[in-house]
Amino acid sequence: MGREENETLGAEGNPAPYLYFDWAATAPVEEDIIKEAATIATQYFGNPSSAHFLGAEARSFFLQVRQDCAKVLQVKPETVFFTSGGTEANHIPLLSLLQRPAAGTIIISAIEHPAIREQAQMLKHCGWRVEKVLPDSSGIVPVEALERSLTDDTALVCLMAVNNETGAIQPIYQVADLLVNHAKKTGRRRPKLHLDCVQAAGKIPLNLSHSGIDSAAFSAHKIGGPRGIGILYLAQKSESFLRGGGQEQGIRPGTENIAGAWAFTKCLQRHYLASKTPEKVPYTRFLQQQIMTKRFIAQLQEIKGCTLIPEIRVEEDQQEKFSPWIVQAAFEGIPGEVLVRALSEKNIAISTGSACSSRKLKRPVLEAMGVSKELATNGVRFSFGHSTTQKDLDKLILALQEIRRFF
């Protein structure tokens, strides 16, 4: 997203150009979709649960939205549930465990988003055991380490598809295969596998129909949709702990956000990468971003005192293990918060990491990777989107070089 196209008001009320590299926190909205969504909200204002004709119209329209969404995700319509966002979509599979007659074990990675990490901690108060699996120094959770954590009473395994701070792509399909094979070998009930796909949707190819994947969470505002709308994919319907009016087949009660669901579906149609459709435009953008990010990483290496996190990211044969849309780096002698402010003064937006943890001093993801305290303190995240250009990245490098000379 370049300066020529994006403006905010400057100190004197005049337009000020800016560069945006915080797409992992939230994406600039798809303006045409958001505007049309407002019209949809006006046109289909009826409650889908109402018996009158306006309710029937809203219900019919919403049914079509679900079918369109499922087609993009390449799953069955009855497996798609609209939620209030990625956090709720992550919570539902966790909270469903509370209906079990006896508590067991939950396995999560130590680099999960707070939506998973903090909610799992709450389940500990309800008697559940939570096992955290550490990643290796590259930020990738070893399948072998997860296998060693499996117990007779493991009920759920949670793993994010793409880490929101380092961009490390996790071995979600290998883990799914592991759980399937482990159940066959032991004769025990297979633990459910839940995936946080918030940073993966629209960014890397996904195959939700892979055997062993039970649920996955998505968030609209990460790909240009409105806030307050998410999706939970459930391969098989389960009993929800949350109860109410019975909407969304009882999985997520509450009056449906029709316009939000429509907008999210439109954004998915525009950006989603299904692994079975590599010929689509989003896949071409994915390949282009890989090229730009490799160049960006090479340019970062030329800046004095810059360290990639993880350092293995600089190796040519390792870069495909990471999302090309996220790069974490640290600059010697420049605390991350200072660099964020310095770039902000130049109308360039980046972050130190997860927006949900931006006001906290701790960096649990980097700590779990064994990153030193100093490096973690200096760490910043650059995240990109479909409208990021090479020219934008070159300007960012120039700005970083200027700040480096000052420090």
Side-chain angles (χ1 to χ4, degrees), residues 48-62:
S49 298
S50 297
H52 52 65
F53 68 100
L54 292 173
E57 289 178 356
R59 187 163 55 253
S60 177
F61 181 79
F62 191 45

Side-chain angles (χ1 to χ4, degrees), residues 359-407:
R359 299 186 185 277
K360 300 176 182 178
L361 297 178
K362 290 188 175 182
R363 299 292 299 275
V365 170
L366 302 188
E367 290 176 11
M369 292 168 55
V371 174
S372 69
K373 185 176 181 181
E374 180 182 0
L375 206 60
T377 299
N378 295 349
V380 294
R381 180 184 68 186
F382 307 102
S383 53
F384 320 118
H386 62 85
S387 61
T388 302
T389 66
Q390 187 62 62
K391 187 176 180 181
D392 296 338
L393 293 175
D394 290 342
K395 288 179 179 179
L396 172 58
I397 289 293
L398 287 175
L400 290 170
Q401 291 171 338
E402 290 175 5
I403 294 171
R404 175 77 278 179
R405 285 194 291 270
F406 180 81
F407 281 90

Side-chain angles (χ1 to χ4, degrees), residues 293-303 308 319 397:
T293 298
K294 286 181 180 179
R295 174 174 168 174
F296 177 67
I297 288 174
Q299 291 173 314
L300 284 177
Q301 289 180 265
E302 296 176 359
I303 299 176
L308 270 291
Q319 292 190 26
I397 289 293

Side-chain angles (χ1 to χ4, degrees), residues 72-151:
V72 179
L73 298 178
Q74 297 186 346
V75 297
K76 297 178 181 179
E78 59 267 26
T79 66
V80 175
F81 301 88
F82 291 101
T83 68
S84 65
T87 294
E88 185 182 31
N90 275 320
H91 283 179
I92 291 174
L94 280 164
L95 293 176
S96 67
L97 297 175
L98 295 176
Q99 295 192 120
R100 295 204 173 195
T105 300
I106 304 166
I107 297 177
I108 69 172
S109 80
I111 56 172
E112 292 301 302
H113 187 276
I116 290 290
R117 187 175 66 244
E118 297 299 324
Q119 189 61 55
Q121 284 297 113
M122 293 303 297
L123 263 67
K124 286 183 69 173
H125 299 308
C126 300
W128 283 81
R129 290 175 294 279
V130 178
E131 292 288 336
K132 291 184 180 180
V133 180
L134 290 172
D136 58 25
S137 59
S138 68
I140 297 174
V141 177
V143 178
E144 299 79 12
L146 195 148
E147 183 175 18
R148 289 193 296 269
S149 297
L150 290 173
T151 59

